[in-house]
Amino acid sequence: VAPLVLAGTMELDGSHDLAPNHLAFPLGWDNYFGFDCTPRHHTYSNIQRDAVFTVSYPRPSQLVLTSLAASPRHEEEKKPALAALPVIPATSVNGVLVEGCSAYLECELDRIVDGFGVNSLIVGRIVAARLAEDAERYDDGDDQAMIHNAPLLAYLHPGRFAAIDDSYSFPFPAGMKK
């Protein structure tokens, strides 16, 4: 089970590229985020060139839009299906985010670690983050109600997805610290 996100980059011609990714995760307790990619994809070369990327966390209701971002490239290496995705400009990096998502990250490239077979680890430092109001956690709020009202989109390998709209408190032992 992994979150399903859309990684955003800019193409050389100024158009945007969005690609779904399920191997995406925070790195440590500071403002770092990583995802896997391959040098064969435009996402990799765009990040290597521009040193920035965005991350949009689509909602389960945006599954079809997320799927469209996985469309193959056609003539002149374009992905025409991306025109169907409503986007908004990023605020801190050159890029776009998918409108209506529950969370957004804007990242500057920290490093690329090659050598995981055909894949590489893209590591970014988060320079801006936003949440949809219904996805924000409040100290005095009910975490169960939050996840019910703003479900998470998850990818289940291979080729399945789930909407996570229920959660339970984890029974941490007394005295446990991070």
Side-chain angles (χ1 to χ4, degrees), residues 2-135:
L4 185 54
V5 302
L6 290 165
T9 60
M10 299 301 290
E11 299 284 5
L12 269 175
D13 66 3
S15 63
H16 63 270
D17 183 35
L18 294 161
N21 194 299
H22 70 281
L23 297 172
F25 42 87
L27 291 166
W29 297 109
D30 293 321
N31 290 332
Y32 292 94
F33 184 85
F35 66 96
D36 88 316
C37 195
T38 177
R40 298 185 315 230
H41 290 169
H42 281 231
T43 302
Y44 182 100
S45 57
N46 292 343
I47 292 171
Q48 191 175 47
R49 181 189 66 244
D50 297 335
V52 297
F53 62 91
T54 64
V55 180
S56 300
Y57 281 80
R59 297 172 185 266
S61 61
Q62 296 173 298
L63 179 65
V64 172
L65 292 177
T66 303
S67 176
L68 286 174
S71 297
R73 292 182 180 275
H74 294 295
E75 301 161 12
E76 300 176 12
E77 289 292 301
K78 300 289 183 188
K79 286 170 75 172
L82 290 180
L85 278 72
V87 296
I88 55 176
T91 59
S92 297
V93 302
N94 183 26
V96 298
L97 301 155
V98 177
E99 188 175 27
C101 291
S102 60
Y104 303 103
L105 303 175
E106 299 178 36
C107 300
E108 292 177 349
L109 179 63
D110 182 78
R111 69 193 84 163
I112 297 175
V113 183
D114 294 315
F116 299 97
V118 298
N119 292 313
S120 300
L121 176 64
I122 305 287
V123 178
R125 186 177 55 82
I126 301 167
V127 296
R130 315 183 246 178
L131 286 172
E133 191 173 316
D134 65 343

